[in-house]
Amino acid sequence: MGLKPATNPDVEAVRIELSIDGKSVTAQDGVSLYDVISMTGKIIPAMCYHYTFDPFGSCGMCLVMQEGKKAPVRSCTAKAAAGMVIRTEGEDLFLARKKAVEKHLSVHPLDCPVCDADGHCELQDMAFQHGVTNLASAKQKFIPEDTRSPVLDFNMNRCIACAECINVCKDVLMIDALQFMKKGGFNQVVPKGDLALDCEFCGDCLAVCPVGAITNKFSKYLYKPWQMKTTTTTCNYCGDGCQLHLETKDEEVVRVTSPLSWKNKWGDRSETAKGHGGLCVRGRFGFENLDSKSRLTQPLVREGGQLVQKPWLDTMDLLVGRFTEIKRQYGADAIAGLVTARCTNEELYLFQKLMRTVFGTNQLDSSARYGHMNFVLASKHAVGLGRTPNDWEDLTKAKAIILIGSNITETNPLTAVRIKEALRVYKAQVVTLDSAITNIAKLASHPFLIKPGTEGAVIDGLVKAAIDQDFVDEETVGKHPHAFEALRSAVADVSLERLAVQTGLSVEAFCEIAAIFAESTRSIILCAEGIVRRTNGYQNVLKLMDLAWITGKLGRTGCGVNTVTEEPNEQGAVDMGVAPEFFPGQARFDDPAARDRFARAWEAPLPPTASSAHLVEILKRCKSGQIKALYVLGENPLATLPASMEVRAGLERLELLVVQDPFLTDTAKMAHCVLPACTYAEKDGTFTNLEGRVLRVRQAMDPLGESLPDWHIMTALANAMGCRWEYQSPNDIQAEIMKLLPGYYNLSQPRTVTPVPDQYLSTGYETEVKARYRPTPLSGELTRPFALLMGQVLMHSGKLSTQASGLITIAPNTGKLRMNIQDMERLGLQDGVKVRLISDRGSLQLGVQPDQSIAPGTCFFPEHFNEPPVKDLMTVSVDATTGVPSFKQIWVSIEQV
Amino acid sequence: MSVVALTKKILQAALFYEIWDAMKVTFRHMLHRPMTFQYPREQRTIPDAHRGALGLLRYDDGHERCVGCDLCEAACPSHCIKVISAEDTTRPLQRYASEFYIDITKCVFCGYCVEACPVNALAMTKMYEYSTHDKRSLLFDKKRLYDIGERHLDDGKKYLYAHNQEKNVEQSREYRYYFPQSVQKSTQPPPKHLS
Amino acid sequence: MAFEDQRTTVYKVNPEHPESETLPTLRTEELLLNMGPQHPSTHGVLKVILELEGERLVKSTPVMGYLHRGVEKLAEDGTYHQFIPHTDRLDYVCAMYNNFAYCRAVEKLLNLQVPERAEYLRTIVAEVQRIIGHQFWLSAQALDIGAMTVFFYCFRDREILLDWFDELCGARLTTSWYRIGGVERDLTPSLIDKLKQFLDYFLPKIDEYQVFLEKNRIWLGRTKGVAVISAEDAVSFGLSGPVLRGSGVDYDLRKYEPYSAYPKCEFSVPVGKNGDTYDRYWIRVMELYESVKIIRQCLEQMQEGPVMADVPSVTLPPKERVFTNLEAMIQQFKLFSQGFDAPPGEVYCGTEAHKGELGFYIVSTGGGKPYRLKIRAPSFIHMGAFDHMARGYMISDACTIFGTYDIVMGECDR
């Protein structure tokens, strides 16, 4: 339609002048007239318009009078042109709009009493505003309701054919799961091909539907919009940190709505670069765990091999006694703690303070250790910045994006939407390098399929290609000639041809990717689980830094090496110092100045650096009997780590295992004492998302049963242990963090820090880089031909989402191994056939199912489910520098049973 | 002032004339029948428009009228109504009130809920004697409300007529069965009044 | 006992100045007496702290708030429509007039025209309510002063009207019959007949009430020259209604800011001369006659017509259309769940209730709920003059003075 927003940074749109209601207005050429009018603050009713996508022009409400034309024109589909004289008000226009409403009303059923949208319905608003009474001829449609999809019901009797759902799906999300179809004499919205809806189920169509034509199955008929209490909070599922509205009625969460809604349809199109306000399936439909029946509501204490309910007072008394006893008997180093990155910043801060000052141990870690620490430590080492340098806006406006080892539409769906917008609006070149046929690869301009586990080799190739093809930015490398020389000699032995065989990419592909990356003005690398959660993650991130450095992208606006986080607050966990290496603010734990500062601030002696231990080390020490008491806050190492880690044996040796969790997890079942914690809906606080933005978490309901927020429990514990912590609310903790880390709470504003690699390049780089590009031996004839990968799927996040019944309905645990259809045919396997999966660690039997996103030679099992325990086939390799355990990939063979 | 008038005035004052005047009225009333009646034995006749206890009504064929639209809850000025709606498992795609509570201790008997109800499922009855020793029993649940509606069905209907909520029994009897007005199967015939 | 102790100390020579050879003076002190809040003649839960010098009132401080329910705040929580039942509970003996005053204020805010028949109905019912109000006042005032008989006769006749209300709107006291834009339901022929019958019956009854009081020397002694307030003072205290007119100020909103069907009726406004309790009594009795006159004229002039304005954005659709018609259904749902969209602005509208000027002040910032609602309750304003009017009178007159305002605590405390 040619009405693309003129917000592309490369395009300088012509300014034109036109007159609206007698006032002269300047606007960009070629944008929709409707946008220009709404920019002046004048709101014309429109039912099919939404600023996130191009005007469609079906509702016929946005009529304006243009001088020189007899009939009113639809302002949304009209382009603003110089010299236009527009009138937006008047009796004639009111009547014309009224007629348009009447047209929609005349085929609308009398459904208000039962419709979920009643009270939040644009058609109602319009009819009421325009005073429609006495329709001449009303005709009903009588279309059967489409209830085939597990999530959404389509009631096409109520549809006004505004196509907002189709447009948002096609344009913004690029999923294209809906279409119009003429059926029964009416234009109806149906899932593609009129089959049962099968899509990403992000529910943005539901959000933009101005009437009740699309309804949510999980809250259908349970509510009316006016009954709900709305709390704006931050999503708890992934690191995107989407804002969402939890709508509660009494003490239950009825539904989740997004800032994206037909209600706020007037906006600046360029603002969507910061996010379009939508949600993904997890955020929108994964709310049922919040008030689920399986929540813990009372403390549990192990008595005679059984966990029995106990009052808080007795439990705390017992706990304090045991902790004091263990500390007295074995010393502070007998205590360790693990925390999940799903806690708020305040709680994470409190946790490390509790471990370090109250228990006096530096054996603590968070779930950021499962991968994000690789990136943080590498980035901190190289450029002095322990987080991602770019925000969503940079990502959207990038001209070249290399997505390496990232199935981003599944792990971080809303970051993926940013990349989709980069593709669609800003015409970015997107290179995907992954061993699976990912969703984003289908949309990307340069999708490449690589062999599993060769991400590191691919980067070697890219660095080599960049140097060989002279994509080197002379100015940048000129500042550190020795470093560049060291790098050049390090990659001298690297052979692109050999890498091509190893990775499955062609030599030309290496050169092409390097060219795309180097020649774009705004280039971003996004590495995710394929890099940071696999072996050599730390080195691979540093290699990416090298690539960015030599091409001159390090430190330049809109460029950088980024990652995404799996849990909502992994960045916050690192920032709050829940890692043996770090104090809050990522100050080194062994830095005497920092030690001094924090010891004074906390008025307590700090544990020595020598006994520090990270996750893997803690589990090892548990097993060796060195650690006697483990305080596990929301973490679930037993269900996460493969059996080869011998977590169970370690936990069994403990004298005291305390688990604090909203649910009775596998780890909690082994605990001596289980404390019921609250979910994020029941507490205040903040999350730090993957951009480094600090986002508010707000309390939407009272704690369920006798559960308490984590900060409350920790404060009580610390006070019982003889400290004087006077935190009355998360605000008090925030105040303390603010004092220690000034400027951390710049709420919703990402802090802009330019990455500076100079220190890194000038000292020690030469020795370091030599070892980095050592070629990995070519794997010869494989005894085990398949790469078994474990990873996230879109509908789930960690183990938490398995408690959300809605998400389980959408994506239940099939218990089947996902394989490429060609592989299955080759092995003669049918869907559902049982196979034996054999790795070096052992074997198990399970069914197989075909999956289009699985590349030949690989097979996949979602990491969220342990039934069957596929994870136990994995071996664990621990990164020497960062201590990150990687256990998501292994070679297996598959035999039909 | 004339002597006569003055004398009369003095005489009246001396004899407490105005008291006798008033006594006359009082004594006359002794011959009237008493205005009062003995309550528990004799009952007031209550007008049709009377706003008494609320009851839920059914259609003549026994279907619940209420579709659980929660509008009564929104209309109630004292927030004494609580409706919990759900999908009727016996009739798919039909919304109904799975639970319905009226806290009659909070109710102000304004009749707004009846006015709001789009299916005339609620009506006020002439029932006003429900005092109890247990305050908890004054939280009327769905069963109790249907009981009241059944026992006082005539009152309820009369109330609706008196307040212009419903013209007569025949009027608008059929179409209200169909909420939502969607059909489950395309072969299903549309409701009679709409075809 | 406390009295005894005080008396002994009074005669003591000041111990700090034993050398002072002055005669021991008789120290007198005022007696503080709490009247209410559980006093039968305070018409509810009013407490007045009386400072007495002997039996004379030196100062009296009304303490209010025992019946405070935060009605004004409640108004901010609901739609405009939802507040009508709350107004019933202001002056709970005369709910109709509160409904009337509130609806008029909202209509003024919305600039809404009420159909003519509805105006007549409103006037009729408001005057019936005035009769009830004055009957109630008369009975209570007489009872306070000691005349029991009038109380019974007034209540006998009031009962007829309350039953009439019951038949009209379904409740005897908490009526909620007025609606924004009209009234809830029309008078049925039987109601009109009953009203006409009542009026015929009622006129001689007014004379009957007066027989007991008009010439009764106790009544005259207790009311004439009691609680006198001059016209200037009455105006400056903001008094209104019979209390103001008793002082000779001819001020009646029905005449001077005519509203509803009052301009179409002929009636006179009785005005007193002395500003004492007796004059106020006389005015109220005279107003009973005037009310009867007004009702008769209205019944005569009233034409057939709608009783609700037909403004789809404000008034409810007829119920039978809701069942069949989508627009009406939408209107019904929007109005009940969100209310009508009032224009931003402030409005004050005073209405002549039988107690005085009952005013509603509404601040709207747009949307379905008032931003602020303030009630100018005559009872409350009148209590402000209590100290002034009671000063110097006997303690027994305190009851008379409460009564003469026609005070109702529901309205006073709100």
Side-chain angles (χ1 to χ4, degrees), chain A residues 104-106 108-114 118-121 123-125 127-128 131-135 224 226, chain C residues 310 312-315 321-341:
Chain A
H104 293 298
L105 278 179
S106 63
H108 201 86
L110 262 171
D111 265 2
C112 293
V114 294
D118 161 40
H120 182 81
C121 170
L123 189 62
Q124 273 192 348
D125 291 357
F128 192 60
V132 182
T133 49
N134 284 326
L135 283 176
K224 287 276 172 167
W226 65 73
Chain C
D310 184 20
S313 60
V314 176
T315 56
R321 289 195 50 228
V322 174
F323 301 141
T324 50
N325 198 313
L326 183 60
E327 316 82 76
M329 174 86 83
I330 288 174
Q331 204 179 323
Q332 176 96 353
F333 271 85
K334 290 293 275 187
L335 285 171
F336 271 112
S337 63
Q338 285 152 38
F340 48 77
D341 199 11

